[in-house]
């Protein structure tokens, strides 16, 4: 059987989650870069892999799959030797993880993408910055982080399920939050300043997935530096 | 062990999906109405059930769960006698269903909710109708339905996985589409006129879940009639 292929762009937060998962768990895979800025996700070749024109996507033998949460569940379930804590076989733990992953889409994900787009990355995609949309998105990010603290991080556990080891839900949500790195420091301070539990949780995930977490995030840190440095917009034409 | 409790409002599309699933599969459950129009989802009592203040949610013994997709997976997995086609034990079928359910959140779900809100239900919630937002949402609904036809309904199968029996993905997506019933006939004709495969698929699901599908949708048909009939907005204060 041929090696697992992961089609990804490290500037995409769900791509990073899948890449980190594979690396941390020693999965033998090939990373195929789909350059979003070059529009490679819209090429006929990639449409054969994922007709939805999004990264990440995987090909495992003859099996093709898209959507990062579906991919994380599939990898955790089918690859040998993946520690149980990532997606426990225990029914209620698994259901709770699914519940967090499903909740994520309409909350942190929507808020995060819109906040980054409307307050930082817009011009690089030919879109104007929209302070009103940014303010609305920031409100959703803040309320989402507040829910994370009061619902899932309310106890003493290091991770969302209250346990000492991370799950695929921790990985997906933290990778989304990391995208906010490219916002202005003042905005970041406003969002994360009062969120000590969230800050500790992010650090716990970094520690649990070191050194892969920081390595896979290098692309994001580079974009952040270029955004700071350059007066002209960073080239990044397509949507994240 | 006490009976499964399903907290739902039949005006909510994910609530309907869970209710229909329970009824079709003969699950012994108690439906607890959470009246969204009365703001009951924000009451302290309901926050104890679901801190996210959304329906549907379930309580199974001492186990609480929210998010409709997580609930559907959990019920299909844990209740005895549920036919395998709803959420097959086969790994690749299950992964494909997860992929459809995850895709749904940022596509048909977002488009559908915004279209209904900005072109029909807004005033009943104290919001103005927004034709520009409605047009944008309609575009997302149309592109989502187009993807459904070309990706999942491209073969001769009756349902999204290409098979002759429905899965929880069919149920979730069709219940979302049904919300568009309350739009003007001209808008509906524009959206569904060219989508013969989608129309056939919806009918297939209705047939496969009869009579529960139509019974659970009666509330929606009533709202539609009231919207048509009354000059004053239908009382429906909270978000769907």
């Amino acid at each position: 059987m041929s090696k697992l292929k992961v089609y990804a762009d490290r500037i995409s937060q769900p791509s990073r989650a899948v890449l980190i998962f594979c690396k941390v768990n020693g999965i033998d895979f090939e990373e195929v870069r789909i350059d979003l800025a070059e529009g490679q996700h819209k090429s006929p070749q990639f449409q054969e892999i994922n007709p939805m024109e999004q990264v990440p996507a995987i090909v495992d033998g003859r099996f093709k799959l898209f959507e990062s949460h579906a991919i994380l569940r599939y990898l955790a379930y089918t690859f040998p030797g993946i520690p149980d804590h990532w997606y426990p076989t225990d029914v209620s733990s698994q259901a709770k993880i699914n519940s967090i992953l499903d909740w994520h889409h309409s909350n942190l994900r929507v808020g995060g993408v819109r906040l980054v787009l409307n307050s930082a990355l817009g011009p690089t995609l030919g879109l104007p910055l929209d302070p009103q949309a940014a303010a609305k998105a920031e409100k959703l990010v803040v309320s989402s982080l507040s829910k994370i603290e009061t619902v899932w991080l309310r106890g003493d556990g290091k991770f969302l399920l209250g346990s000492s080891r991370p799950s695929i839900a921790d990985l997906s949500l933290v990778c989304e939050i990391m995208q906010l790195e490219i916002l202005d420091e003042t905005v970041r301070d406003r969002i994360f300043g009062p969120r000590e539990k969230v800050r500790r949780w992010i650090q716990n995930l970094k520690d649990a997935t070191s050194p892969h977490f920081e390595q896979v995030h290098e692309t994001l840190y580079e974009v952040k530096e270029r955004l700071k440095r350059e007066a002209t917009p960073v080239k990044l034409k397509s949507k994240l």
Side-chain angles (χ1 to χ4, degrees), chain A:
Chain A
M1 191 137 143
S2 58
K3 202 186 270 193
L4 173 75
K5 281 190 173 137
V6 178
Y7 297 80
D9 186 329
R10 294 185 178 199
I11 196 61
S12 126
Q13 45 280 52
S15 288
R16 291 197 298 269
V18 170
L19 291 172
I20 293 167
F21 182 85
C22 289
K23 285 170 183 276
V24 167
N25 289 295
I27 290 175
D28 185 24
F29 75 105
E30 181 190 344
E31 179 178 350
V32 183
R33 169 89 191 277
I34 298 298
D35 190 330
L36 297 175
E38 294 293 337
Q40 289 177 356
H41 55 306
K42 294 180 184 296
S43 75
Q45 294 89 323
F46 185 65
Q47 283 175 352
E48 287 293 312
I49 306 296
N50 180 5
M52 301 309 178
E53 305 174 354
Q54 288 172 322
V55 286
I58 62 166
V59 175
D60 184 24
R62 285 183 302 183
F63 185 64
K64 296 170 191 172
L65 190 63
F66 53 87
E67 284 291 333
S68 68
H69 294 172
I71 292 170
L72 289 168
R73 290 186 188 100
Y74 173 81
L75 295 176
Y77 195 78
T78 55
F79 277 72
I82 310 285
D84 193 64
H85 61 85
W86 286 109
Y87 193 51
T89 43
D90 167 61
V91 177
S92 62
S93 302
Q94 202 170 97
K96 278 182 199 165
I97 290 172
N98 287 334
S99 166
I100 298 170
L101 289 172
D102 290 339
W103 172 86
H104 175 60
H105 289 281
S106 307
N107 293 281
L108 195 53
R109 172 77 180 156
V110 174
V113 167
R114 288 198 199 141
L115 177 54
V116 166
L117 204 64
N118 287 299
S119 67
L121 272 187
T124 69
L125 313 174
L127 298 167
L129 295 181
D130 182 338
Q132 209 179 346
K136 209 172 149 191
E138 185 177 328
K139 217 173 145 187
L140 183 52
V141 167
V142 166
S143 73
S144 299
L145 293 178
S146 166
K147 285 290 185 191
I148 289 172
E149 287 203 333
T150 55
V151 176
W152 293 304
L153 295 176
R154 70 175 178 282
D156 293 328
K158 290 170 79 174
F159 297 103
L160 296 175
L161 246 58
S163 61
S164 61
R165 309 292 302 274
S167 77
I168 55 175
D170 296 284
L171 186 56
S172 172
L173 271 60
V174 170
C175 284
E176 190 69 49
I177 292 171
M178 286 303 291
Q179 201 76 351
L180 304 178
E181 276 288 325
I182 58 178
L183 298 176
D184 268 359
E185 287 309 306
T186 45
V187 181
R188 288 182 48 74
D189 286 349
R190 197 163 63 213
I191 295 173
F192 292 102
R195 303 264 161 252
E196 195 198 328
K197 282 194 163 189
V198 165
R199 296 199 312 271
R200 209 185 313 140
W201 165 55
I202 295 170
Q203 190 57 49
N204 289 341
L205 190 78
K206 286 183 182 177
D207 293 345
T209 55
S210 176
H212 308 290
F213 190 95
E214 293 293 359
Q215 281 170 7
V216 171
H217 277 83
E218 269 166 21
T219 305
L220 182 72
Y221 300 138
E222 283 162 20
V223 169
K224 180 187 171 123
E225 287 309 309
R226 276 153 66 202
L227 275 173
K228 264 192 193 167
R229 214 169 44 228
E230 294 174 19
T232 51
V234 178
K235 193 192 98 189
L236 200 82
K237 282 175 259 165
S238 305
K239 73 167 183 170
L240 294 186

